[in-house]
Amino acid sequence: MLSRSALRTYSTATKNLTIGLIAGDGIGREVIPAGKQVLQALPSSYGLNFNFIDLEAGFELFKKTGTALPDETVEALQSKCDGALFGAVSSPTVKVAGYSSPIVALRKKMGLYANVRPVKSVDGIGRPVDMVIVRENTEDLYIKEERIFEKDGQKVAEAIKRITEGATTRIAKIAYEIALQRQQVRNLGGASLHNKPSVTVVHKSNVLSVSDGLFRETCKKVYDDNISKFGSIDYKEQIVDSMVYRMFREPEIFDVVVAPNLYGDILSDGAAALVGSLGVVPSANVGDNFAIGEPCHGSAPDIEGKGIANPIATIRSTALMLEFMGYPEPAAKIYSAVDANLSEDKIKTPDLGGNSSTQEVVSDIIKRL
């Protein structure tokens, strides 16, 4: 469990919390209710009362209305919600005129500049791993500034990769803060593969010397300029292709990994293979004043409607959302209940080799609360 309540300043006096629920597409509509059920089942001793607002976004909504992210959804998150859960969104593999990913747009509109993805093994499931991948969420190739033109009689497609000093400074700072916070948990007896905090900066500046060069240089500058605060952290760098190799060969060596948007996306999805399934890997989209929990899996149309989607990534994302809202104790309770479910190897969905339904897993975890 990662306790990061010190990273954001939230009022803990307000116990009535409103959570926006954006199911999105596919199995998002099956797993987001799991997060809601778990919040409702938290012991009353935590003194938290949850209200929920169902909100819309997604490709299916776009096909019906021509809008993937309604203004009403953004306005409700900004004015009515203390946090939110986002399920999944379908991503067409061919260009669809007028459509762009609502989660990417939501991150920009809400100022959620960090995507935080813990990847941790549980008692013999998958490879030994205990890392957090911190992905810059607002720029890189994901700004979606592309064009196509003809040159010498052939089509040429170009995409702009944007790296800025400001965005890199923000993401570097939160990565170092997370490393320090993880060490605080370890100092209090939290189980971990690591005995000292480290941050690995991922880049490809040997080829992209200007854009990735700026990312690498800025991350190092943030570290050097704040050495009195971050000096206990081992600063490391890794070229992205060798990072992939080492992550699969020796994942236990990595603590906190910080990367530009595209590399962070690829690394975090790949890291899920180390712990059994994308269905167990959570994430949080985090800004200075808001957090959205989001499971790392997609909309999974192949299993949509079958009632077998793994709810654990959503449940862990719910706990991660609570952490960034400033409620680490109930988050820890949720993590422990999930770990107990995984460790017993009895009630599991098919992606983990079991034959249980989504609701059976949710019910088992709620019992453990």
Side-chain angles (χ1 to χ4, degrees):
M1 196 278 292
L2 308 175
S3 174
R4 304 189 199 94
S5 58
L7 293 179
R8 296 287 175 265
T9 302
Y10 287 89
S11 171
T12 57
T14 301
K15 300 299 183 181
N16 291 304
L17 301 175
T18 299
I19 306 300
L21 302 177
I22 309 171
D25 301 318
I27 63 169
R29 294 186 284 267
E30 301 172 45
V31 295
I32 287 300
K36 178 180 178 180
Q37 288 181 63
V38 167
L39 288 175
Q40 291 173 320
L42 280 171
S44 59
S45 57
Y46 293 117
L48 299 178
N49 179 55
F50 294 97
N51 301 303
F52 300 95
I53 301 177
D54 291 316
L55 301 170
E56 291 189 300
F59 185 57
E60 293 299 322
L61 180 68
F62 173 81
K63 289 193 291 185
K64 293 177 184 177
T65 67
T67 301
L69 180 64
D71 290 340
E72 294 82 2
T73 293
V74 178
E75 290 167 3
L77 292 174
Q78 292 173 334
S79 63
K80 299 177 182 179
C81 297
D82 300 289
L85 298 174
F86 189 102
V89 60
S90 297
S91 299
T93 56
V94 297
K95 181 178 175 59
V96 176
Y99 176 76
S100 61
S101 170
I103 187 61
V104 173
L106 191 58
R107 290 165 182 165
K108 292 180 180 179
K109 289 178 181 292
M110 297 294 294
L112 308 177
Y113 57 84
N115 186 260
V116 181
R117 299 194 179 189
V119 184
K120 186 174 182 179
S121 54
V122 177
D123 290 346
I125 299 174
R127 298 286 301 277
V129 55
D130 180 13
M131 76 173 81
V132 176
I133 297 173
V134 183
R135 165 188 167 195
E136 202 289 316
N137 231 3
T138 66
E139 52 182 28
D140 198 7
L141 287 169
Y142 285 40
I143 61 171
K144 293 182 69 65
E145 291 188 17
E146 300 177 281
R147 68 177 184 130
I148 190 165
F149 60 94
E150 286 198 7
K151 182 177 181 181
D152 299 328
Q154 297 186 13
K155 288 183 178 179
V156 178
E158 286 185 346
I160 293 176
K161 175 185 175 75
R162 179 169 296 139
I163 302 292
T164 66
E165 185 178 27
T168 304
T169 297
R170 288 188 311 191
I171 202 67
K173 283 182 177 178
I174 196 171
Y176 298 137
E177 294 279 5
I178 288 171
L180 291 178
Q181 196 73 4
R182 279 164 61 82
Q183 187 60 35
Q184 289 179 19
V185 174
R186 292 194 282 260
N187 291 342
L188 293 171
S192 177
L193 297 175
H194 312 287
N195 53 29
K196 185 177 182 180
S198 71
V199 173
T200 302
V201 177
V202 178
H203 60 88
K204 187 68 177 175
S205 64
N206 57 326
V207 175
L208 301 169
S209 58
V210 175
S211 55
D212 278 22
L214 179 61
F215 186 86
R216 182 188 66 78
E217 292 161 8
T218 303
C219 287
K220 185 63 165 66
K221 185 176 187 298
V222 171
Y223 179 79
D224 290 340
D225 287 352
N226 297 273
I227 196 69
S228 61
K229 182 176 184 180
F230 300 140
S232 63
I233 300 170
D234 278 346
Y235 174 90
K236 303 177 181 179
E237 295 182 2
Q238 197 77 50
I239 294 174
V240 64
D241 41 355
S242 61
M243 174 68 201
V244 172
Y245 177 80
R246 296 193 71 189
M247 185 177 73
F248 284 101
R249 292 280 295 186
E250 43 186 349
E252 66 278 359
I253 71 172
F254 295 106
D255 184 15
V256 176
V257 176
V258 61
N261 209 337
L262 178 62
Y263 306 153
D265 192 1
I266 295 169
L267 288 172
S268 51
D269 282 356
L274 297 169
V275 292
S277 169
L278 270 173
V280 301
V281 180
S283 78
N285 301 287
V286 180
D288 290 332
N289 300 294
F290 205 79
I292 297 179
E294 179 194 2
C296 290
H297 57 68
S299 59
D302 56 322
I303 61 170
E304 179 183 357
K306 296 182 180 180
I308 58 172
N310 194 333
I312 286 178
T314 295
I315 294 172
R316 281 177 162 172
S317 297
T318 302
L320 197 57
M321 175 196 71
L322 287 176
E323 283 194 67
F324 279 105
M325 291 174 65
Y327 300 98
E329 292 84 5
K333 187 73 172 177
I334 294 172
Y335 290 134
S336 295
V338 170
D339 289 352
N341 166 269
L342 288 171
S343 297
E344 286 198 4
D345 200 29
K346 293 180 181 178
I347 301 177
K348 288 184 171 59
T349 46
D351 59 309
L352 293 178
N355 56 13
S356 302
S357 69
T358 303
Q359 188 55 49
E360 286 171 336
V361 174
V362 175
S363 297
D364 182 66
I365 291 170
I366 286 175
K367 286 180 184 178
R368 300 172 188 277
L369 291 176

